[in-house]
C-alpha cells in the first residue's frame, strides 16, 4: 500500500493534485502538508499535517513514522516572487529538494515527484518549439534553481537509484485557487477580473507568447508520468511538456467570445523581461514517445470550462 506525502499541498498545483491522489489512493493514504494550520480546511478528504519543509528533522520524523512511500514535493518560490528575494528563493527551492532527495535515498522511497518549469530556459534558448535538449542559461533565480534541481534529480537517480520523476510545466491555469507569484499568473487572474466585470490590467505586452496548460492536463500529465513503468521514464532530469501557447491578446479574445464587454489594458512591468527570456512554445515529443503524453485542452476549450466553473470559487457571490 502506498503512503503519499504532498509537500506544499495548499498551493495552486497541490490544491488540485492532492485531491486526485486521494481519489486514486484513498484519503487515508495521502498526507497533505503545508506551512499554515489554516490550510487544513482545504483537506477534509485526506489527512493534513502542518510542516515546514525546511525543518529537515520534522520532515524525516514524518516520513519515518508514517512509513511514507512517495513524496510529491511542490513547495517553491515562483519566478516573480523569487526576483524580490533571490537568496531566499535559492535557499528554499534548493535546500528543500535536497532534504527530500536525501530522505528518498535513506528510506528507499518508492518514488519522488518534483516539478520543474519552462523557467529552466533563458534568452539564448531557441524560442519556438524549444527542444528537450538545448542551451538553457536561465536568468531568473527561480529558473536557475529549477535547472540546478533537475541536475540533482538526475544525479540521485544515477548514483543512488532514487526513482525521481519531473515535468517542466508551462504556465499552469486553474480556477480552484489563486496563483502565487508567477509570471504566467496573468492568465489566471484575467478570468477572475472578467467574471467580476472589471477591466484587466495586464503586466505583459499583448503579443507576449508563453507556453501554457490547463490544470486538468497538468494533473493528467503528472499522474501519467508517475504511473508509467520505471523503464519508460527515460529522462531523469525533467520532461518538456506542452499543451498550448498564446499571448495576452489571444486569451483576451477567447474571453470576449463569452463576455463581449470585457476590457483590457497593457502595462508591462518587470515580469515582461522574465516572459521575454522564456520560450514561446515547447517541443514535448520525448514525453509523447516515452509515456504517451497527449493534452486535452486548447485555449477556447479551457476558457469555456473556466468561465462555467469559476463562480464555484466565489460561493458567497452566488
Ligand atoms: N508559472 C511559473 C512562473 O510563472 C513558471 O513555472 O513562475
Amino acid at each position: 500500500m502506498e503512503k503519499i506525502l504532498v509537500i506544499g499541498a495548499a498551493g495552486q498545483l497541490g490544491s488540485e493534485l492532492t485531491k486526485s491522489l486521494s481519489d486514486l489512493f484513498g484519503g487515508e493514504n495521502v498526507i497533505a502538508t503545508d506551512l499554515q494550520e489554516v490550510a487544513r480546511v482545504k483537506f477534509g478528504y485526506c489527512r493534513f499535517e502542518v510542516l515546514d519543509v525546511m525543518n529537515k528533522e520534522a520532515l524525516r520524523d514524518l516520513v519515518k513514522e508514517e512509513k511514507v512511500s512517495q513524496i510529491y514535493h511542490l513547495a517553491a518560490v515562483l519566478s516573480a516572487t523569487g526576483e524580490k528575494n533571490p537568496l531566499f528563493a535559492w535557499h528554499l527551492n534548493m535546500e528543500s529538494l535536497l532534504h527530500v532527495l536525501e530522505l528518498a535515498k535513506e528510506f528507499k522511497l518508492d518514488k519522488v515527484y518534483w516539478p520543474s518549469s519552462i523557467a529552466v530556459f533563458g534568452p539564448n534558448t531557441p524560442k519556438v518549439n524549444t527542444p528537450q535538449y538545448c542551451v538553457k542559461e536561465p536568468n531568473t533565480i527561480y529558473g536557475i534553481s529549477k535547472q540546478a534541481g533537475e541536475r540533482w534529480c538526475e544525479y540521485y537517480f544515477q548514483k543512488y537509484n532514487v526513482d525521481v520523476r519531473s515535468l517542466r510545466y508551462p504556465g499552469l491555469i486553474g480556477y480552484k485557487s489563486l496563483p502565487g507569484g508567477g509570471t504566467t499568473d496573468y492568465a489566471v487572474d484575467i478570468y477572475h477580473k472578467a467574471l467580476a466585470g472589471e477591466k484587466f490590467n495586464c503586466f505583459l505586452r499583448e503579443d507576449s507568447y508563453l507556453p501554457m496548460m490547463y490544470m486538468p492536463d497538468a494533473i493528467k500529465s503528472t499522474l501519467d508520468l508517475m504511473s508509467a513503468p520505471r523503464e519508460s521514464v527515460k529522462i531523469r532530469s525533467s520532461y518538456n511538456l506542452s499543451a498550448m501557447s498564446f499571448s495576452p491578446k489571444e486569451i483576451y479574445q477567447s474571453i470576449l467570445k463569452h463576455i463581449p464587454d470585457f476590457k483590457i489594458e497593457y502595462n508591462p512591468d518587470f515580469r515582461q523581461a522574465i516572459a521575454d527570456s522564456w520560450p514561446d512554445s515547447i517541443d514535448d515529443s520525448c514525453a509523447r514517445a516515452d509515456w504517451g503524453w497527449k493534452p486535452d485542452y486548447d485555449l477556447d476549450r479551457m476558457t469555456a470550462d473556466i468561465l462555467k466553473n469559476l463562480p464555484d470559487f466565489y460561493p458567497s457571490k452566488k
Side-chain angles (χ1 to χ4, degrees):
M1 177 55 74
E2 298 288 352
K3 183 65 87 63
I4 297 177
L5 180 67
V6 185
I7 299 170
Q12 193 199 10
L13 175 63
S15 300
E16 303 202 33
L17 186 57
T18 308
K19 178 70 174 74
S20 299
L21 288 168
S22 299
D23 292 344
L24 265 177
F25 294 98
E28 67 283 9
N29 297 313
V30 175
I31 309 169
T33 68
D34 215 283
L35 271 178
Q36 309 282 344
E37 174 63 31
V38 288
R40 184 183 295 275
V41 295
K42 284 188 162 191
F43 301 103
Y45 54 81
C46 68
R47 296 186 47 204
F48 177 81
E49 300 281 343
V50 173
L51 178 80
D52 179 354
V53 65
M54 301 306 281
N55 185 341
K56 193 176 176 187
E57 284 316 304
L59 178 61
R60 188 174 185 279
D61 289 348
L62 192 60
V63 168
K64 190 172 175 197
E65 277 160 26
E66 295 289 346
K67 299 192 170 45
V68 166
S69 60
Q70 296 189 18
I71 298 181
Y72 286 70
H73 173 27
L74 311 179
V77 178
L78 294 187
S79 62
T81 312
E83 292 310 291
K84 292 179 184 158
N85 194 342
L87 291 182
F88 172 71
W90 173 259
H91 179 62
L92 187 128
N93 291 357
M94 294 316 320
E95 288 295 310
S96 64
L97 174 61
L98 290 173
H99 289 171
V100 168
L101 291 173
E102 271 297 290
L103 291 174
K105 177 176 124 193
E106 180 182 349
F107 292 100
K108 299 194 170 28
L109 298 191
D110 189 27
K111 283 174 204 161
V112 171
Y113 181 75
W114 177 78
S116 186
S117 161
I118 52 164
V120 295
F121 300 113
N124 296 322
T125 298
K127 270 202 150 348
V128 177
N129 278 332
T130 301
Q132 175 73 38
Y133 300 105
C134 58
V135 171
K136 307 268 188 317
E137 300 181 358
N139 62 6
T140 62
I141 202 64
Y142 174 67
I144 296 170
S145 72
K146 287 295 182 190
Q147 193 190 14
E150 287 188 6
R151 304 318 308 147
W152 277 113
C153 288
E154 190 172 311
Y155 188 87
Y156 270 73
F157 174 74
Q158 300 286 359
K159 290 265 176 182
Y160 309 121
N161 209 19
V162 172
D163 188 350
V164 52
R165 305 177 181 200
S166 177
L167 297 169
R168 290 176 184 150
Y169 291 124
L172 297 184
I173 304 167
Y175 61 86
K176 293 187 181 163
S177 62
L178 290 169
T183 302
T184 56
D185 291 351
Y186 87 86
V188 178
D189 208 19
I190 193 170
Y191 289 107
H192 289 261
K193 293 293 185 296
L195 196 78
E198 290 173 29
K199 184 180 195 178
F200 181 58
N201 183 8
C202 185
F203 58 72
L204 296 183
R205 277 193 324 266
E206 65 173 9
D207 61 348
S208 196
Y209 279 85
L210 284 169
M212 299 281 189
M213 178 174 283
Y214 190 31
M215 195 59 88
D217 274 337
I219 304 298
K220 184 176 86 157
S221 64
T222 310
L223 298 177
D224 283 358
L225 174 69
M226 289 301 276
S227 62
R230 191 182 165 104
E231 59 282 3
S232 306
V233 184
K234 298 190 180 112
I235 294 175
R236 293 298 180 153
S237 52
S238 190
Y239 276 95
N240 273 13
L241 190 69
S242 174
M244 58 182 110
S245 176
F246 57 77
S247 64
K249 186 174 176 185
E250 287 175 354
I251 190 173
Y252 171 65
Q253 286 169 340
S254 177
I255 295 172
L256 274 187
K257 291 176 194 164
H258 301 261
I259 306 177
D261 58 354
F262 182 41
K263 299 271 183 302
I264 190 167
E265 101 182 19
Y266 301 94
N267 290 301
D269 67 12
F270 73 100
R271 289 168 280 196
Q272 184 64 57
I274 300 178
D276 288 343
S277 77
W278 290 350
D280 291 357
S281 58
I282 299 285
D283 175 352
D284 63 358
S285 47
C286 293
R288 288 172 188 255
D290 289 359
W291 43 276
W293 164 241
K294 192 169 164 295
D296 290 328
Y297 286 88
D298 63 14
L299 175 57
D300 282 338
R301 194 164 167 225
M302 173 177 77
T303 296
D305 200 60
I306 292 180
L307 292 177
K308 180 163 70 106
N309 289 298
L310 189 57
D312 293 346
F313 189 75
Y314 297 103
S316 60
K317 290 194 184 155
K318 276 181 138 184

